Amino acid sequence: MPAEASQRRTYLEAEERRAQILRVAAQLFSERHYDAASTADIANAAGVARGLVGHYFRTKRELYVAVVRSMLEVPDDLFPASADADESERRAVLSDAVDRWLRTVKANRGTWLACIGAQGFGRDPELEAVLEHARRRIIDQLIALAWGPPSDATPEVRALMRGYEGFAQAITADWLTSGRLARREVHQLLVQGLVALVDEALPRIKEQQTGVTTS
């Protein structure tokens, strides 16, 4: 048992060090351009040897992708309500989800703008794959909230949700780069856009496809 306990402690310590490096890297990548944050800078800020950064992340590139993947990790309960939730419950769920989204991108401003190509990082297949995975997870949960089982969603429903995702990305990027809209205004627009889809557009599509009036 002492040996097992020691191994477990060593494993937990290693996980803590890796998580620490990841947190510090996320902060530096967000504050600076990718090229301006070196692994030495990250190691110094994390209070670890540079070789330890290389031990957990073989290259700065690998570390950056890990930061983006962590930033865009979508929880299973992003929208913790069912498709038959009433309007007030659904609005509260959407409002909370949008608020979490805005907090996340604000805290990781530079990294998020860079990985969507808004700061000259360019289009990158690996980063786009991470973004696409997050988009699919978000869209599936939106469909589950507004429509029903994602596996039953029609191409029209997915297209509508993908259109909202593009709108959300564009307006969020504009808020972070230009400041033309206040945070509360961005929040309201994103919530209202979702409510319009959930309460108006999606029921009409469902009605047209099933022939059953939903109102």
Side-chain angles (χ1 to χ4, degrees):
M1 288 299 294
E4 291 180 5
S6 177
Q7 290 175 355
R8 178 172 175 77
R9 183 168 58 252
T10 300
Y11 172 78
L12 291 175
E13 289 173 353
E15 286 298 298
E16 288 173 1
R17 284 196 295 270
R18 184 183 186 280
Q20 178 187 7
I21 292 169
L22 201 60
R23 285 194 300 271
V24 169
Q27 181 179 350
L28 290 185
F29 284 138
S30 190
E31 293 173 352
R32 313 174 188 179
H33 192 276
Y34 171 82
D35 291 332
S38 67
T39 54
D41 294 332
I42 294 166
N44 288 337
V48 300
R50 183 176 180 179
L52 194 60
V53 176
H55 171 72
Y56 292 111
F57 307 95
R58 291 171 297 178
T59 64
K60 185 174 78 167
R61 169 73 184 165
E62 182 177 310
L63 175 55
Y64 185 79
V65 173
V67 165
V68 173
R69 184 175 289 111
S70 176
M71 177 183 69
L72 296 176
E73 185 175 355
V74 179
D76 292 333
D77 62 344
L78 179 62
F79 302 108
S82 62
D84 59 357
D86 62 34
E87 182 178 349
S88 61
E89 181 183 358
R90 200 158 50 230
R91 184 181 289 270
V93 167
L94 296 176
S95 178
D96 180 65
V98 168
D99 189 58
R100 280 185 283 168
W101 162 250
L102 294 179
R103 286 201 308 268
T104 297
V105 295
K106 179 69 173 178
N108 298 276
R109 178 185 180 279
T111 303
W112 186 73
L113 289 173
C115 73
I116 65 169
Q119 285 193 336
F121 195 82
R123 301 183 66 85
D124 180 275
E126 190 171 10
L127 291 179
E128 288 187 358
V130 174
L131 286 166
E132 182 61 22
H133 177 73
R135 290 186 187 111
R136 289 181 181 276
R137 298 251 311 148
I138 291 171
I139 289 171
D140 277 351
Q141 292 197 46
L142 278 171
I143 290 171
L145 172 68
W147 176 272
S151 59
D152 295 341
T154 63
E156 291 84 358
V157 170
R158 288 198 172 274
L160 198 61
M161 288 302 187
R162 186 59 178 258
Y164 172 78
E165 187 277 329
F167 163 75
Q169 177 175 297
I171 198 170
T172 301
D174 185 77
W175 165 59
L176 292 174
T177 56
S178 75
R180 283 187 283 256
L181 293 173
R183 186 190 190 280
R184 64 180 180 278
E185 294 171 325
V186 175
H187 183 276
Q188 183 178 13
L189 283 171
L190 293 180
V191 171
Q192 287 298 116
L194 274 171
V195 169
L197 286 179
V198 171
D199 292 344
E200 298 178 26
L202 286 179
R204 290 183 181 179
I205 289 178
K206 196 168 188 176
E207 179 180 325
Q208 292 171 356
Q209 294 178 341
T210 63
V212 178
T213 302
T214 55
S215 58

